[in-house]
């Protein structure tokens, strides 16, 4: 674990063969599974993690990255370390790059982030 370089998703077969899947799973998918397991509404989860509801929805859909603040909120909610949540993003980005894809961006997210700069 000495390197901070994102490796993306890699599956290791017992014979030492590394398999790289043909998909990239947005960090929001892990967040969604966690929030569904706790049986919380998206509003409740956003409030507990102390982020705006539109940002939470953007994270779930994969158009918004997990931030330091949101990762800290998830740590409180799930007891999983903040770094676990933060590591999901560079791994996702590495998978997207490997697959020659890019993060989808929705108009709502662009408007929200533009309003923060105003």
């Amino acid at each position: 674990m000495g390197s901070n370089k994102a490796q993306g998703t890699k599956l290791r077969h017992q014979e030492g063969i590394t398999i790289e899947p043909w998909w990239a799973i947005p960090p929001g998918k892990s967040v969604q599974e966690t929030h569904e397991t706790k049986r919380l509404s998206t509003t409740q989860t956003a409030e507990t993690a102390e982020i705006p509801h539109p940002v939470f929805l953007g994270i779930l859909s994969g158009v918004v990255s997990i931030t330091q603040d949101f990762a800290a909120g998830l740590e409180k909610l799930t007891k999983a370390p903040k770094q676990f949540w933060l590591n999901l993003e560079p791994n996702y980005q590495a998978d997207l790059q490997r697959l020659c894809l890019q993060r989808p961006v929705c108009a709502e997210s662009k408007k929200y982030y533009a309003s923060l700069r105003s």
Side-chain angles (χ1 to χ4, degrees):
M1 278 203 130
S3 172
N4 285 338
K5 186 177 177 193
Q7 298 297 312
T9 304
K10 292 187 180 184
L11 307 171
R12 302 209 193 289
H13 191 271
Q14 65 191 99
E15 280 96 35
I17 299 168
T18 300
I19 301 167
E20 294 180 331
W22 287 92
W23 61 83
I25 300 172
K29 183 68 177 162
S30 295
V31 174
Q32 182 177 8
E33 289 171 2
T34 299
H35 117 89
E36 288 174 354
T37 299
K38 295 204 169 274
R39 295 190 174 150
L40 297 172
S41 69
T42 57
T43 303
Q44 291 170 311
T45 304
E47 287 173 359
T48 302
E50 299 175 355
I51 64 162
H53 191 251
V55 173
F56 179 70
L57 294 177
I59 290 168
L60 290 182
S61 64
V63 297
V64 177
S65 300
I66 293 177
T67 63
Q68 293 276 339
D69 291 339
F70 184 57
L74 284 170
E75 182 176 43
K76 284 187 237 173
L77 179 69
T78 66
K79 308 301 183 231
K82 176 180 171 180
Q83 196 58 48
F84 165 79
W85 298 106
L86 292 172
N87 287 341
L88 294 174
E89 182 62 31
N91 288 337
Y92 176 58
Q93 291 299 327
D95 287 340
L96 288 176
Q97 185 175 5
R98 178 177 51 79
L99 298 168
C100 299
L101 300 172
Q102 53 183 286
R103 175 187 294 279
V105 179
C106 71
E108 186 177 323
S109 294
K110 286 182 183 178
K111 282 190 244 176
Y112 174 77
Y113 283 109
S115 73
L116 294 178
R117 290 186 218 122
S118 305

